[in-house]
Amino acid sequence: MPRIEAVRGDITTETVDAIVNAANNSLLGGGGVDGAIHRAGGPRILASCRVLRATSLPDGLPTGDAVATTAGDLAAQWVIHTVGPVHSRSEDRTAQLVSCYRRSLEVADEVGARSLAFPAISAGVYGWPMDDAARVAVSTVTETDTAVESVRFVLFSDEALAAFQQWL
Ligand code: AR6
């Protein structure tokens, strides 16, 4: 099990091997943490996503899956893009959120990343309640077998940080 911690901060400034992006199925950018990563990392990240769309992922990245690209100008070496589920009151999509964390750790293992930073996937535009997003994130990372040695949850607000700390 990796060492796990939660901090308040901006994930784009993390000096870890890979940072995880809460992307959308298109992989072609968006708002929130996705927009921040593309702004801070420069055009090479989008160029790398466009290559994926033109080759292995013509229909985009499925919800719950993850894929790595360059991190462009960021201090990290890779961005691991994952697509969280949109929260629904009528349907339990927890399995897809679990899959985001699992697949991101698998992709980190594939590229050889040993330190990883995650945002609170799905807990922004996609509407997942922060407390439950934190529970799923912490329990999944705790339970997944991985060679990643260090996982840092980088949260954008005190409220998000408190939600994660309560499960750690
Ligand atoms: N560092 C860390 N966390 C951040 C940062 C940052 N720089 N910026 C925002 N957050 P969201 P989602 C937090 O909406 O809910 C995009 O348009 C934010 O406060 O970024 O998975 C994509 O393209 C929140 O707690 O991701 C998709 O269309 C958390 O990151 C859609 O949003 C996640 O919020 C994905 O929605």
Side-chain angles (χ1 to χ4, degrees):
M1 186 176 109
R3 240 177 11 257
I4 306 176
E5 62 179 346
V7 298
R8 186 175 167 173
D10 173 356
I11 202 167
T12 64
T13 65
E14 285 293 315
T15 50
V16 286
D17 293 341
I19 66 171
V20 176
N21 181 19
N24 60 59
N25 301 113
S26 83
L27 285 181
L28 300 179
V33 72
D34 193 7
I37 287 171
H38 281 280
R39 270 194 306 278
R44 278 184 289 164
I45 300 175
L46 185 58
S48 181
C49 288
R50 286 195 195 282
V51 169
L52 289 172
R53 288 300 310 271
T55 55
S56 54
L57 296 170
D59 300 324
L61 184 66
T63 302
D65 204 354
V67 69
T69 68
T70 175
D73 303 332
L74 298 177
Q77 214 175 331
W78 297 278
V79 173
I80 297 174
H81 307 263
T82 190
V83 182
V86 176
H87 186 262
S88 162
R89 283 168 180 273
S90 55
E91 189 188 26
D92 182 6
R93 298 176 179 167
T94 304
Q96 290 179 317
L97 188 57
V98 166
S99 177
C100 287
Y101 288 96
R102 275 208 196 117
R103 286 287 303 132
S104 295
L105 288 162
E106 278 173 21
V107 170
D109 284 342
E110 282 161 23
V111 299
R114 291 289 178 264
S115 56
L116 199 52
F118 281 104
I121 298 163
S122 287
V125 175
Y126 283 178
W128 208 284
M130 187 58 77
D131 183 61
D132 197 57
R135 180 187 64 80
V136 172
V138 171
S139 63
T140 305
V141 170
T142 305
E143 288 159 17
T144 302
D145 190 28
T146 175
V148 172
E149 292 160 2
S150 150
V151 166
R152 206 164 222 245
F153 292 108
V154 180
L155 292 323
F156 217 44
S157 68
D158 286 334
E159 182 214 352
L161 177 60
F164 275 72
Q165 274 173 340
Q166 124 191 265
W167 295 108
L168 283 170

